[in-house]
Amino acid sequence: VTHTYLDDDPTATASDLYVINTAVSSSETLVAPNVRFVRNLFVDALGRTADDAGLDTLVAQLNGGSSRATVAQSVLTSSEYRLLLVNEFYQRLLGRSADVAGLSTSVRVLERGGRQETVIASLIGSREYFGLAGRTNAGFVNRLYADLLHRSPSTTERSNLVGALATQTITAVATTILNSGEYRTRIVQDLFQQFLHRPAAGTEVSTFVGLLN
Protein backbone atom coordinates (compact mmCIF):
# COMPACT_ATOMS: atom_id res chain seq x y z
CA VAL A 1 0.00 0.00 0.00
CA THR A 2 1.51 3.35 -0.99
CA HIS A 3 0.34 6.48 0.84
CA THR A 4 1.50 10.10 0.91
CA TYR A 5 2.21 11.63 4.31
CA LEU A 6 3.35 15.09 5.34
CA ASP A 7 5.86 15.02 8.20
CA ASP A 8 6.50 17.78 10.76
CA ASP A 9 8.82 19.59 8.39
CA PRO A 10 6.92 22.64 7.09
CA THR A 11 8.76 22.29 3.81
CA ALA A 12 7.42 18.80 3.21
CA THR A 13 5.51 18.28 0.00
CA ALA A 14 3.24 15.68 -1.41
CA SER A 15 6.24 14.11 -3.05
CA ASP A 16 7.30 12.67 0.31
CA LEU A 17 6.07 9.11 -0.15
CA TYR A 18 6.15 6.27 2.31
CA VAL A 19 5.45 2.72 1.32
CA ILE A 20 3.61 0.54 3.85
CA ASN A 21 3.65 -3.19 3.24
CA THR A 22 0.60 -4.88 4.78
CA ALA A 23 -0.04 -8.58 4.38
CA VAL A 24 -3.74 -9.52 4.35
CA SER A 25 -4.20 -13.22 4.93
CA SER A 26 -6.95 -15.14 3.18
CA SER A 27 -8.42 -16.11 6.54
CA GLU A 28 -9.13 -12.45 7.36
CA THR A 29 -11.24 -12.09 4.25
CA LEU A 30 -13.28 -15.11 5.38
CA VAL A 31 -13.69 -14.11 9.02
CA ALA A 32 -15.25 -10.68 8.41
CA PRO A 33 -18.50 -11.94 6.81
CA ASN A 34 -18.82 -14.62 9.49
CA VAL A 35 -18.42 -12.09 12.27
CA ARG A 36 -21.04 -9.89 10.66
CA PHE A 37 -23.39 -12.84 10.27
CA VAL A 38 -23.13 -13.85 13.94
CA ARG A 39 -23.56 -10.29 15.16
CA ASN A 40 -26.69 -9.88 13.05
CA LEU A 41 -27.99 -13.25 14.22
CA PHE A 42 -27.73 -12.22 17.87
CA VAL A 43 -29.53 -8.94 17.25
CA ASP A 44 -32.31 -10.45 15.13
CA ALA A 45 -32.89 -13.61 17.18
CA LEU A 46 -31.96 -12.58 20.73
CA GLY A 47 -32.44 -8.84 20.59
CA ARG A 48 -28.97 -8.08 21.91
CA THR A 49 -25.39 -7.69 20.83
CA ALA A 50 -23.25 -10.81 20.77
CA ASP A 51 -21.13 -11.43 23.85
CA ASP A 52 -17.44 -12.10 23.18
CA ALA A 53 -17.59 -15.78 24.12
CA GLY A 54 -20.65 -16.47 22.00
CA LEU A 55 -19.25 -14.52 19.07
CA ASP A 56 -15.91 -16.33 19.19
CA THR A 57 -17.52 -19.75 19.49
CA LEU A 58 -19.93 -19.36 16.59
CA VAL A 59 -17.43 -17.64 14.31
CA ALA A 60 -14.99 -20.47 14.98
CA GLN A 61 -17.68 -22.98 13.97
CA LEU A 62 -18.31 -21.11 10.72
CA ASN A 63 -14.61 -20.83 9.97
CA GLY A 64 -14.33 -24.55 10.67
CA GLY A 65 -16.86 -25.40 7.99
CA SER A 66 -20.22 -25.38 9.79
CA SER A 67 -23.04 -23.97 7.67
CA ARG A 68 -24.84 -20.77 8.60
CA ALA A 69 -28.05 -22.78 8.91
CA THR A 70 -26.40 -25.03 11.51
CA VAL A 71 -25.11 -22.08 13.51
CA ALA A 72 -28.48 -20.33 13.32
CA GLN A 73 -30.17 -23.51 14.50
CA SER A 74 -27.95 -23.60 17.57
CA VAL A 75 -29.11 -20.11 18.52
CA LEU A 76 -32.77 -20.74 17.69
CA THR A 77 -32.82 -23.86 19.88
CA SER A 78 -30.95 -22.25 22.78
CA SER A 79 -32.56 -21.80 26.19
CA GLU A 80 -32.18 -18.05 25.85
CA TYR A 81 -34.13 -17.92 22.60
CA ARG A 82 -36.85 -20.23 23.91
CA LEU A 83 -37.27 -18.14 27.05
CA LEU A 84 -37.65 -15.02 24.92
CA LEU A 85 -40.08 -16.78 22.60
CA VAL A 86 -42.35 -18.03 25.38
CA ASN A 87 -42.36 -14.63 27.08
CA GLU A 88 -43.32 -13.06 23.75
CA PHE A 89 -46.26 -15.49 23.49
CA TYR A 90 -47.42 -14.57 27.00
CA GLN A 91 -47.16 -10.85 26.30
CA ARG A 92 -48.97 -11.11 22.97
CA LEU A 93 -51.76 -13.45 24.07
CA LEU A 94 -52.22 -12.76 27.78
CA GLY A 95 -50.77 -9.26 28.06
CA ARG A 96 -48.27 -10.16 30.77
CA SER A 97 -44.90 -11.75 31.39
CA ALA A 98 -44.80 -15.50 31.86
CA ASP A 99 -44.97 -16.76 35.43
CA VAL A 100 -42.18 -19.07 36.56
CA ALA A 101 -44.24 -22.26 36.36
CA GLY A 102 -45.77 -21.41 32.99
CA LEU A 103 -42.41 -20.39 31.56
CA SER A 104 -40.77 -23.61 32.71
CA THR A 105 -43.58 -25.79 31.37
CA SER A 106 -43.68 -24.10 27.96
CA VAL A 107 -39.90 -24.12 27.50
CA ARG A 108 -39.86 -27.81 28.39
CA VAL A 109 -42.41 -28.49 25.63
CA LEU A 110 -40.09 -26.84 23.11
CA GLU A 111 -37.02 -28.61 24.45
CA ARG A 112 -38.73 -31.96 23.94
CA GLY A 113 -39.42 -31.20 20.30
CA GLY A 114 -42.88 -29.69 20.68
CA ARG A 115 -43.96 -27.07 18.16
CA GLN A 116 -44.48 -23.42 18.94
CA GLU A 117 -48.13 -23.85 17.96
CA THR A 118 -48.56 -26.33 20.81
CA VAL A 119 -47.47 -23.71 23.33
CA ILE A 120 -49.65 -21.05 21.73
CA ALA A 121 -52.70 -23.35 21.70
CA SER A 122 -52.23 -24.13 25.41
CA LEU A 123 -52.23 -20.43 26.26
CA ILE A 124 -55.28 -19.73 24.12
CA GLY A 125 -57.04 -22.68 25.72
CA SER A 126 -56.55 -21.26 29.21
CA ARG A 127 -59.31 -19.77 31.34
CA GLU A 128 -57.27 -16.60 31.52
CA TYR A 129 -57.40 -16.11 27.76
CA PHE A 130 -61.15 -16.85 27.65
CA GLY A 131 -61.63 -14.28 30.41
CA LEU A 132 -59.74 -11.66 28.44
CA ALA A 133 -62.08 -12.41 25.51
CA GLY A 134 -65.11 -11.52 27.61
CA ARG A 135 -66.08 -15.10 28.54
CA THR A 136 -68.29 -15.53 25.48
CA ASN A 137 -67.71 -17.76 22.48
CA ALA A 138 -68.19 -14.90 20.03
CA GLY A 139 -65.73 -12.76 21.97
CA PHE A 140 -63.26 -15.63 21.98
CA VAL A 141 -63.45 -16.02 18.19
CA ASN A 142 -62.99 -12.28 17.69
CA ARG A 143 -59.91 -12.23 19.91
CA LEU A 144 -58.54 -15.41 18.32
CA TYR A 145 -58.64 -13.87 14.86
CA ALA A 146 -57.14 -10.61 16.07
CA ASP A 147 -54.24 -12.32 17.86
CA LEU A 148 -53.42 -14.98 15.27
CA LEU A 149 -54.49 -13.51 11.94
CA HIS A 150 -54.42 -9.78 12.76
CA ARG A 151 -57.91 -9.24 11.39
CA SER A 152 -61.55 -9.59 12.31
CA PRO A 153 -63.47 -12.75 11.34
CA SER A 154 -66.17 -12.53 8.72
CA THR A 155 -69.73 -13.18 9.82
CA THR A 156 -69.54 -16.66 8.35
CA GLU A 157 -66.18 -17.43 10.00
CA ARG A 158 -67.45 -16.27 13.38
CA SER A 159 -70.62 -18.31 13.05
CA ASN A 160 -68.74 -21.45 12.02
CA LEU A 161 -66.28 -21.31 14.92
CA VAL A 162 -68.92 -20.40 17.49
CA GLY A 163 -70.81 -23.46 16.28
CA ALA A 164 -67.66 -25.57 16.49
CA LEU A 165 -67.21 -24.57 20.13
CA ALA A 166 -70.43 -26.40 20.93
CA THR A 167 -68.68 -29.72 20.32
CA GLN A 168 -64.95 -28.90 20.44
CA THR A 169 -62.61 -27.52 23.07
CA ILE A 170 -61.22 -24.02 22.81
CA THR A 171 -57.75 -25.49 22.29
CA ALA A 172 -58.99 -27.62 19.38
CA VAL A 173 -60.61 -24.62 17.69
CA ALA A 174 -57.44 -22.57 18.18
CA THR A 175 -55.40 -25.40 16.67
CA THR A 176 -57.57 -25.26 13.55
CA ILE A 177 -56.52 -21.65 12.99
CA LEU A 178 -52.89 -22.38 13.89
CA ASN A 179 -52.79 -25.08 11.20
CA SER A 180 -54.39 -22.90 8.54
CA GLY A 181 -52.56 -21.69 5.47
CA GLU A 182 -53.41 -18.10 6.35
CA TYR A 183 -51.73 -18.33 9.74
CA ARG A 184 -48.65 -20.04 8.33
CA THR A 185 -48.38 -17.41 5.61
CA ARG A 186 -48.35 -14.72 8.29
CA ILE A 187 -45.66 -16.59 10.22
CA VAL A 188 -43.46 -16.79 7.11
CA GLN A 189 -43.92 -13.08 6.45
CA ASP A 190 -43.06 -12.27 10.07
CA LEU A 191 -39.88 -14.37 9.89
CA PHE A 192 -38.78 -12.68 6.67
CA GLN A 193 -39.24 -9.30 8.28
CA GLN A 194 -37.40 -10.37 11.45
CA PHE A 195 -34.36 -11.90 9.80
CA LEU A 196 -34.20 -10.48 6.26
CA HIS A 197 -35.95 -7.16 6.95
CA ARG A 198 -38.16 -7.44 3.89
CA PRO A 199 -41.44 -9.10 2.88
CA ALA A 200 -41.37 -12.57 1.37
CA ALA A 201 -42.11 -12.88 -2.34
CA GLY A 202 -44.95 -15.10 -3.53
CA THR A 203 -42.75 -18.07 -4.44
CA GLU A 204 -40.87 -17.76 -1.16
CA VAL A 205 -44.11 -17.79 0.81
CA SER A 206 -45.32 -20.98 -0.87
CA THR A 207 -41.95 -22.68 -0.38
CA PHE A 208 -41.66 -21.91 3.31
CA VAL A 209 -45.33 -22.52 4.08
CA GLY A 210 -44.79 -25.95 2.57
CA LEU A 211 -41.97 -26.55 5.05
CA LEU A 212 -44.32 -25.74 7.93
CA ASN A 213 -46.92 -28.30 6.85
Side-chain angles (χ1 to χ4, degrees), residues 125-175:
S126 67
R127 292 182 179 179
E128 182 176 355
Y129 186 88
F130 194 72
L132 292 170
R135 299 188 184 282
T136 67
N137 288 344
F140 167 79
V141 173
N142 288 338
R143 188 177 181 93
L144 182 67
Y145 267 71
D147 287 340
L148 298 186
L149 303 181
H150 297 176
R151 67 175 178 85
S152 299
S154 66
T155 301
T156 300
E157 289 169 333
R158 185 184 299 107
S159 177
N160 288 341
L161 288 193
V162 168
L165 287 168
T167 58
Q168 300 179 37
T169 66
I170 289 175
T171 302
V173 170
T175 300

Side-chain angles (χ1 to χ4, degrees), residues 10 29 89 100 124 162 172:
T29 62
F89 292 158
V100 175
I124 292 175
V162 168

Side-chain angles (χ1 to χ4, degrees), residues 109-120:
V109 169
L110 298 175
E111 288 175 342
R112 292 176 177 176
R115 300 179 62 176
Q116 295 178 22
E117 288 82 1
T118 301
V119 175
I120 293 172

Side-chain angles (χ1 to χ4, degrees), residues 12-204:
T13 67
S15 62
D16 297 316
L17 300 179
Y18 298 83
V19 178
I20 304 173
N21 294 318
T22 303
V24 179
S25 67
S26 59
S27 63
E28 288 177 317
T29 62
L30 293 174
V31 168
N34 289 339
V35 170
R36 184 166 57 251
F37 171 79
V38 173
R39 286 174 175 166
N40 289 341
L41 178 62
F42 268 70
V43 171
D44 290 338
L46 304 179
R48 66 174 177 86
T49 56
D51 56 279
D52 291 341
L55 179 65
D56 291 344
T57 297
L58 296 186
V59 168
Q61 290 177 11
L62 290 169
N63 291 340
S66 294
S67 69
R68 290 185 174 184
T70 297
V71 169
Q73 182 74 3
S74 70
V75 172
L76 297 174
T77 56
S78 67
S79 295
E80 181 178 356
Y81 179 76
R82 285 168 171 160
L83 288 169
L84 289 171
L85 193 65
V86 171
N87 260 313
E88 191 273 330
F89 292 158
Y90 268 78
Q91 288 288 358
R92 177 157 56 92
L93 298 172
L94 302 181
R96 65 173 175 85
S97 298
D99 54 277
V100 175
L103 184 62
S104 176
T105 298
S106 296
V107 168
R108 193 178 305 117
V109 169
L110 298 175
E111 288 175 342
R112 292 176 177 176
R115 300 179 62 176
Q116 295 178 22
E117 288 82 1
T118 301
V119 175
I120 293 172
S122 69
L123 295 179
I124 292 175
S126 67
R127 292 182 179 179
E128 182 176 355
Y129 186 88
F130 194 72
L132 292 170
R135 299 188 184 282
T136 67
N137 288 344
F140 167 79
V141 173
N142 288 338
R143 188 177 181 93
L144 182 67
Y145 267 71
D147 287 340
L148 298 186
L149 303 181
H150 297 176
R151 67 175 178 85
S152 299
S154 66
T155 301
T156 300
E157 289 169 333
R158 185 184 299 107
S159 177
N160 288 341
L161 288 193
V162 168
L165 287 168
T167 58
Q168 300 179 37
T169 66
I170 289 175
T171 302
V173 170
T175 300
T176 299
I177 301 299
L178 290 166
N179 289 334
S180 69
E182 182 177 353
Y183 176 76
R184 288 173 174 168
T185 295
R186 191 186 68 75
I187 291 300
V188 168
Q189 288 289 5
D190 287 349
L191 289 172
F192 265 72
Q193 289 290 354
Q194 180 181 357
F195 292 104
L196 300 182
H197 310 289
R198 66 171 177 84
T203 55
E204 292 171 327

